[in-house]
Amino acid sequence: MKRTTLRFLGIEKGAVLQEARVFNDHQLDPRRCSQVITKLLYLLNQGETFTKVEATEVFFAVTKLFQSRDLGLRRMVYVIIKELSPSADEVIIVTSSLMKDMTSKTDMYRANAIRVLCRITDGTLLTQIERYLKQAIVDKNPVVASAALVSGIHLLQTNPEIVKRWSNEVQEAVQSRAALVQFHALALLHQIRQNDRLAVNKLVSNLTKGSVRSPLAQCLLIRYTSQVIRESASNTQTGDRPFYDFLEGCLRHKAEMVIFEAARAITELNGVTSRELTPAITVLQLFLSSTKPVLRFAAVRTLNKVAMTHPIVVTNCNIDMESLISDQNRSIATLAITTLLKTGNESSVDRLMKQITTFMSDIADEFKIVVIEAIRSLCLKFPLKHRSLMNFLSNILREEGGFEYKKAIVDSIVILIRDIPEAKESGLLHLCEFIEDCEFTYLSTQILHFLGIEGPKTSDPSKYIRYIYNRVHLENATVRAGAVSTLAKFGAMVDSLKPRIFVLLRRCLFDTDDEVRDRATLYLNTLGADGAVVETGEDVKEFLFGSLDIPLVNLERSLKNYEPSEESFDINSVPKEVKIQPLAEKKAPGKKPTGLGGPPPGPPSTIDAYEKLLLSIPEFANFGKLFKSSAPVELTEAETEYAVNVVKHIFDGHVVFQYNCTNTIPEQLLENVTVIVDASEAEEFAEVASKPLRSLPYDSPGQTFVAFEKPEGVPAVGKFSNMLRFIVKEVDPSTGEAEDDGVEDEYQLEELEVVAADYMLKVGVSNFRNAWESMGPDCERVDEYGLGPRENLAEAVNAVINLLGMQPCEGTEVVPSNSRSHTCLLSGVYIGNVKVLVRLQFGIDGPKDVAMKLAVRSEDEAVSDVIHEIVASG
């Protein structure tokens, strides 16, 4: 392969096109012609483009090669014609030659001609050759039949109606004794019927009775059977699972691919029981000792997935998997290790750790990370074994490795410290020892930050001071600054250490870096009392440990926009809501952004623009401070006469709807534009003011407003019907002037809803656990809810997040695949500027039913109750 590539290296299109003139020679040289075609194919596959003239000239020259009887050259001709993709006019030139080959006595000609014809023809020509294609499907030669069937699979995408007429022939081909023909026929037949569930059920029912001989076709049939089982409404209702006996019977097939496909299908069944899994696990266990690496890999990977949901069933394979730890294929060895860690019991932990220690040095970092995550899960499963597992993590932390690998170890140690109290002291010491040699600035600063939170809570906080202060002398400026902050936190939390910390911070005043000196100065002034042993005030602790309840990106932007003046910067002016920009905004052609419906990027500028706009309207000036503005909600379809979207502005006792309108008809001028809002399905809302739009010329966005009063501080919800009402005047295209007289008209808009999430700002916290503990249990409310049947936990998690409109924290909105339990952390600010934290614990109760435990903490117990009411009614 390498030699072939080097032979073509540096060839030029012009030179090859010159060589293509050999196609016109009277005495054709098949070998030379094949070489030239190969060069042309190479250029095409390297992304070289031919002009229309060049492609046409090559195509016509290639058609002259049909006069050659050389089999090798003829095959190259077929390939180049397919790659050149000739136009409709050019296809006519070659059609007669291809149709002649399609009815030839040479099977190689017939099969290839069918493939080429079906690739280059359109629907009109296809009807002319349909009779030949039907005959080819049931041809005795398997190569010809397979070529016709594969062509049918491709044609189904462009000419489905024609291909569907071949059902009888395809059904006959399914009974073929040729393995590939049966495989291709089954694939085509299923695609023809895939939109008819009853037809697919009937197909599977007929074929599972034993008429499929081809192992490839049998694998396809297993997949289709699994699909039918998944779609069956009676999956687990009666305890009878349709077609399960067929899958179990396939476990005794003579072909290994069929056995594995059946075993995998059984393990992936929804709500599969241990009894159903047993026969599949048995055959996978046999594959573990196979001499073929591909079978060992397939088996251990499948068992690894099963271990996530049914670890006990997989324990019978542990002895076989232990022998795979030394497998030459490192992928197999890694999967074996991680599976053993998921299924092992407490007594086997020490033995596994010894085996893993020798194994870790032989694998790449990406495999090591997988093992680390499995060890972390094992430690959380058996907390009494934390000492040996923590020592293992500490040892490998000192070995060579990349950033992601070291980060995975540090993250695992941090999680174990947080979740296993007995592991805190040893874990923190391991981290302190690591930062002495850590080459990654990010990891050093993160460890120092964590030490500042957990270190002061230990029985002997003083033993960590030496490690932290060493960073002030031996590290770069970023780490030194982090060490200063950590020292300050120890001084604030441990009063007995304050004099010592005070001395160390004073030494930092002579650092060469501005950031380090500034932090030392700030913390010395904050701690105060000149280092005396006095109790640190709560305001100081809040400053050092309190969670920043505003997004950093908002704070950064506000600071950049701040203009120095006599009035100091007010941190309360920084917007708290996190505005998430869509990945790609779909915009209809010719449709302009409608007013402030397409706000400038960035949360502060958006909310500032809205607030300035609303304050400039006298009717809304006394509504108070704007709490939240929603993203624009479209009320019209794309490509309609008028484009309208609405922004919901939430105040404590009012809601203002801002309708952003655009007139997309050049020949019309709209005047006195208003929106008539029907609030009959929103009983708690009462309309109090509206502001019409005087004029709406073509392609010039404008706004009209409607304001509603609602009970103060109450998350009132409701549905609103909207009717756009206006006076339309015709515009003379030549002069651009509108007529004096107009006609009153109306345009129906989509309905609009105010939901509970509109009263919540998405505000993240930097450390959820600290924020949760500092909030205290006084205003905590806990209850359990049944969320009914769901496809998976991810669907349930997303539904609750969307219902509450809160900000997910620490990446907990992501649910691991096949997970049967999950914890999600949310934070936000409720209307009235009340901070709210939510801890959601999900679990699968029964086959698909999801249960949820909801714990809410807030600064107001009434708000905690409201959150529960939202979930209960949602």
Side-chain angles (χ1 to χ4, degrees):
M1 183 70 182
K2 187 175 179 182
R3 189 179 299 170
T4 304
T5 306
L6 288 173
R7 192 198 314 166
F8 292 138
L9 193 64
I11 64 173
E12 295 182 358
K13 182 177 72 171
V16 177
L17 291 174
Q18 288 290 331
E19 288 185 62
R21 292 181 178 178
V22 299
F23 301 158
N24 298 316
D25 292 350
H26 292 294
Q27 293 293 327
L28 290 174
D29 183 348
R31 187 168 179 273
R32 191 179 174 197
C33 290
S34 294
Q35 288 176 346
V36 175
I37 290 176
T38 305
K39 290 181 181 179
L40 289 167
L41 290 169
Y42 175 79
L43 289 172
L44 286 168
N45 281 283
Q46 291 299 309
E48 189 74 56
T49 55
F50 289 4
T51 65
K52 178 68 175 171
V53 174
E54 290 169 346
T56 302
E57 287 179 356
V58 171
F59 174 75
F60 280 112
V62 165
T63 58
K64 295 178 181 178
L65 299 180
F66 274 103
Q67 59 188 304
S68 172
R69 295 295 177 186
D70 186 86
L71 289 176
L73 178 57
R74 182 64 63 89
R75 295 178 73 175
M76 296 298 290
V77 169
Y78 292 134
V79 176
I80 192 67
I81 289 174
K82 279 203 301 181
E83 291 299 321
L84 287 172
S85 299
S87 65
D89 295 335
E90 295 166 348
V91 166
I92 297 172
I93 307 298
V94 78
T95 300
S96 58
S97 298
L98 289 172
M99 290 183 70
K100 183 179 177 182
D101 282 357
M102 197 166 67
T103 56
S104 168
K105 293 182 180 180
T106 307
D107 291 332
M108 192 276 290
Y109 287 179
R110 292 165 62 203
N112 283 289
I114 288 170
R115 291 178 185 272
V116 177
L117 265 174
C118 292
R119 172 73 176 269
I120 66 175
T121 55
D122 58 10
T124 308
L125 184 59
L126 189 60
T127 54
Q128 298 177 25
I129 62 171
E130 183 181 5
R131 178 168 60 89
Y132 299 106
L133 292 173
K134 284 185 176 182
Q135 291 173 357
I137 288 172
V138 293
D139 196 276
K140 291 180 180 179
N141 188 295
V143 177
V144 175
S146 274
L149 289 164
V150 171
S151 298
I153 292 171
H154 293 307
L155 289 170
L156 196 62
Q157 312 303 319
T158 54
N159 296 277
E161 295 306 317
I162 293 176
V163 178
K164 286 177 182 178
R165 298 202 292 257
W166 307 350
S167 291
N168 292 336
E169 286 76 14
V170 176
Q171 214 157 0
E172 186 178 338
V174 170
Q175 307 303 322
S176 171
R177 290 182 174 275
L180 271 181
V181 174
Q182 193 172 47
F183 170 64
H184 291 139
L186 179 56
L188 179 55
L189 190 60
H190 179 265
Q191 285 196 29
I192 290 172
R193 298 182 177 182
Q194 63 182 348
N195 295 322
D196 186 345
R197 185 181 293 183
L198 289 176
V200 173
N201 282 2
K202 186 177 179 182
L203 173 66
V204 169
S205 181
N206 290 336
L207 294 178
T208 51
K209 294 173 182 175
S211 58
V212 177
R213 302 180 188 85
S214 162
L216 287 168
Q218 189 81 349
C219 289
L220 266 189
L221 181 58
I222 289 170
R223 294 184 183 184
Y224 300 153
T225 304
S226 301
Q227 180 186 344
V228 170
I229 293 174
R230 280 195 300 271
E231 292 174 353
S232 173
S234 58
N235 259 3
T236 51
Q237 302 283 332
T238 62
D240 241 0
R241 198 188 291 274
F243 302 115
Y244 174 79
D245 291 340
F246 165 72
L247 295 180
E248 190 178 6
C250 290
L251 296 173
R252 296 182 287 276
H253 199 278
K254 60 184 178 181
E256 290 168 335
M257 72 169 80
V258 176
I259 296 171
F260 172 72
E261 192 68 40
R264 189 173 67 90
I266 290 173
T267 62
E268 292 178 355
L269 292 175
N270 293 331
V272 64
T273 63
S274 299
R275 184 186 65 80
E276 290 171 327
L277 277 173
T278 302
I281 300 298
T282 302
V283 298
L284 291 172
Q285 186 176 5
L286 294 174
F287 283 170
L288 291 175
S289 54
S290 170
T291 56
K292 300 176 182 177
V294 68
L295 281 180
R296 297 199 302 275
F297 176 78
V300 75
R301 186 174 67 168
T302 305
L303 289 169
N304 187 281
K305 291 180 181 177
V306 176
M308 294 179 185
T309 51
H310 295 81
I312 296 174
V313 181
V314 184
T315 51
N316 294 333
C317 308
N318 282 5
I319 295 174
D320 298 276
M321 279 190 286
E322 283 189 31
S323 64
L324 295 180
I325 295 176
S326 56
D327 196 285
Q328 291 181 343
N329 187 312
R330 296 290 84 184
S331 297
I332 295 174
T334 305
L335 285 167
I337 281 286
T338 53
T339 309
L340 284 167
L341 290 172
K342 292 172 186 174
T343 60
N345 52 38
E346 200 163 359
S347 60
S348 65
V349 170
D350 294 326
R351 186 177 76 255
L352 278 174
M353 288 299 103
K354 288 179 183 177
Q355 291 176 292
I356 294 173
T357 302
T358 56
F359 162 80
M360 289 291 280
S361 59
D362 298 333
I363 60 175
D365 278 6
E366 60 263 31
F367 293 133
K368 290 179 182 177
I369 292 172
V370 176
V371 175
I372 300 286
E373 291 171 350
I375 290 173
R376 181 176 70 206
S377 300
L378 184 69
C379 193
L380 294 173
K381 184 179 178 183
F382 303 119
L384 293 177
K385 289 291 181 181
H386 74 270
R387 194 176 301 281
S388 60
L389 293 170
M390 191 70 84
N391 286 336
F392 172 80
L393 292 174
S394 174
N395 290 334
I396 61 174
L397 192 55
R398 298 191 189 96
E399 296 174 359
E400 292 294 322
F403 171 75
E404 292 297 335
Y405 170 50
K406 292 297 178 77
K407 182 177 181 295
I409 302 173
V410 171
D411 288 345
S412 296
I413 293 176
V414 166
I415 290 170
L416 297 181
I417 291 172
R418 283 179 177 170
D419 292 355
I420 305 174
E422 296 80 7
K424 180 178 288 187
E425 302 265 349
S426 61
L428 289 174
L429 277 176
H430 289 318
L431 292 177
C432 286
E433 291 167 359
F434 169 63
I435 58 172
E436 294 201 316
D437 301 311
C438 181
E439 58 188 295
F440 302 109
T441 298
Y442 173 82
L443 289 181
S444 295
T445 54
Q446 291 301 302
I447 291 171
L448 286 168
H449 173 71
F450 184 68
L451 273 172
I453 296 170
E454 298 293 339
K457 301 175 186 176
T458 59
S459 58
D460 184 13
S462 61
K463 61 186 176 184
Y464 306 110
I465 301 299
R466 174 174 63 86
Y467 296 101
I468 299 168
Y469 187 64
N470 282 345
R471 299 307 97 215
V472 177
H473 292 295
L474 305 173
E475 291 285 359
N476 58 48
T478 304
V479 178
R480 296 203 305 273
V484 169
S485 297
T486 303
L487 286 172
K489 290 177 181 179
F490 272 79
M493 293 295 289
V494 186
D495 294 328
S496 61
L497 288 176
K498 187 176 288 187
R500 182 180 174 189
I501 298 296
F502 201 87
V503 172
L504 297 178
L505 289 176
R506 288 190 62 132
R507 292 177 186 172
C508 297
L509 294 174
F510 303 100
D511 196 275
T512 57
D513 183 71
D514 292 343
E515 174 77 11
V516 176
R517 293 197 304 272
D518 289 348
R519 288 197 188 195
T521 304
L522 171 66
Y523 293 137
L524 282 169
N525 290 331
T526 304
L527 291 172
D530 209 26
V533 182
V534 296
E535 187 175 348
T536 306
E538 288 300 318
D539 56 340
V540 174
K541 291 183 180 179
E542 175 64 25
F543 173 74
L544 289 170
F545 293 97
S547 60
L548 188 65
D549 61 353
I550 54 176
L552 289 176
V553 65
N554 294 8
L555 178 60
E556 180 186 7
R557 192 175 283 110
S558 294
L559 286 168
K560 286 180 178 177
N561 294 337
Y562 170 68
E563 295 179 2
S565 62
E566 293 182 2
E567 187 178 345
S568 60
F569 177 77
D570 182 9
I571 198 168
N572 293 321
S573 66
V574 180
K576 295 181 178 180
E577 186 172 15
V578 178
K579 294 282 187 183
I580 301 173
Q581 294 293 332
L583 292 177
E585 294 195 8
K586 296 180 181 177
K587 191 166 73 174
K591 190 172 175 180
K592 304 288 183 182
T594 53
L596 288 172
S605 55
T606 303
I607 201 160
D608 288 348
Y610 284 143
E611 196 155 25
K612 287 177 183 176
L613 178 67
L614 294 169
L615 285 174
S616 67
I617 302 171
E619 291 89 338
F620 313 143
N622 62 347
F623 284 0
K625 185 169 178 60
L626 176 63
F627 174 69
K628 176 182 178 180
S629 295
S630 74
V633 179
E634 295 294 336
L635 298 182
T636 56
E637 298 289 338
E639 304 290 350
T640 53
E641 300 96 316
Y642 312 111
V644 181
N645 66 38
V646 63
V647 177
K648 295 175 278 187
H649 300 295
I650 309 296
F651 295 85
D652 196 35
H654 297 82
V655 174
V656 177
F657 296 147
Q658 173 187 325
Y659 296 92
N660 303 303
C661 310
T662 301
N663 172 17
T664 63
I665 303 177
E667 299 82 13
Q668 287 187 359
L669 169 68
L670 307 187
E671 290 185 348
N672 196 24
V673 181
T674 59
V675 176
I676 307 303
V677 183
D678 178 5
S680 58
E681 294 185 62
E683 296 177 355
E684 295 181 275
F685 293 84
E687 185 174 336
V688 292
S690 65
K691 180 174 174 54
L693 177 62
R694 289 180 57 193
S695 176
L696 187 64
Y698 164 68
D699 207 19
S700 179
Q703 300 90 32
T704 177
F705 300 83
V706 180
F708 286 84
E709 190 175 27
K710 69 173 189 66
E712 197 164 316
V714 175
V717 298
K719 188 179 291 185
F720 301 82
S721 300
N722 304 282
M723 178 75 75
L724 188 67
R725 184 173 291 172
F726 49 85
I727 294 173
V728 59
K729 293 183 177 181
E730 295 295 327
V731 176
D732 188 341
S734 58
T735 62
E737 294 183 0
E739 295 179 356
D740 294 334
D741 297 328
V743 179
E744 190 170 302
D745 199 358
E746 293 180 342
Y747 188 83
Q748 184 66 51
L749 304 175
E750 298 286 341
E751 289 185 335
L752 166 69
E753 279 191 90
V754 172
V755 295
D758 289 325
Y759 300 97
M760 183 74 72
L761 282 173
K762 290 184 177 182
V763 178
V765 292
S766 55
N767 187 311
F768 187 88
R769 183 173 181 176
N770 277 0
W772 181 267
E773 289 176 356
S774 64
M775 191 82 75
D778 295 341
C779 297
E780 182 176 359
R781 296 291 183 270
V782 183
D783 206 345
E784 295 181 355
Y785 301 89
L787 303 183
R790 303 276 177 170
E791 280 300 315
N792 48 46
L793 278 185
E795 181 191 332
V797 172
N798 290 332
V800 178
I801 291 174
N802 293 334
L803 177 66
L804 296 177
M806 300 180 71
Q807 177 69 27
C809 300
E810 301 175 7
T812 54
E813 73 275 20
V814 179
V815 182
S817 57
N818 299 320
S819 192
R820 295 186 66 83
S821 62
H822 184 70
T823 299
C824 182
L825 311 175
L826 306 176
S827 69
V829 173
Y830 186 71
I831 189 167
N833 288 320
V834 181
K835 295 178 185 176
V836 184
L837 297 174
V838 167
R839 178 175 283 163
L840 304 165
Q841 292 176 292
F842 296 87
I844 296 179
D845 182 19
K848 283 190 176 182
D849 289 341
V850 175
M852 180 184 73
K853 183 178 181 181
L854 169 63
V856 183
R857 287 188 180 183
S858 73
E859 298 171 330
D860 185 343
E861 60 184 354
V863 173
S864 298
D865 291 331
V866 167
I867 300 299
H868 277 278
E869 289 171 11
I870 292 171
V871 173
S873 60

